[in-house]
Amino acid sequence: MIECPNCGTMNPDGAEACKKCGQGLLPGPQVISHETPKLPFIKRIPLRKGPVRRG
């Protein structure tokens, strides 16, 4: 029997995925997903209207 590392359900030997949660049980490359971090709010500064002065 193989214990699921995600939910702890016991699965039969040779099972590829957990019968309860679907987590992969075979060793090998695992896909890990991460939440995209939230970026801080950036205040927009209005641009001055009018001719550009070059100096």
Side-chain angles (χ1 to χ4, degrees):
M1 298 293 278
I2 302 171
E3 183 179 0
C4 175
N6 186 48
C7 70
T9 300
M10 296 305 290
N11 294 278
D13 290 333
E16 293 182 11
C18 176
K19 61 186 176 185
K20 183 175 180 181
C21 72
Q23 173 73 33
L25 300 174
L26 297 177
Q30 296 289 328
V31 176
I32 300 172
S33 62
H34 297 281
E35 184 177 326
T36 303
K38 305 233 187 258
L39 297 175
F41 178 76
I42 299 173
K43 184 177 179 181
R44 291 183 179 216
I45 301 172
L47 297 175
R48 286 188 246 164
K49 294 182 179 180
V52 176
R53 294 183 185 174
R54 297 186 184 196

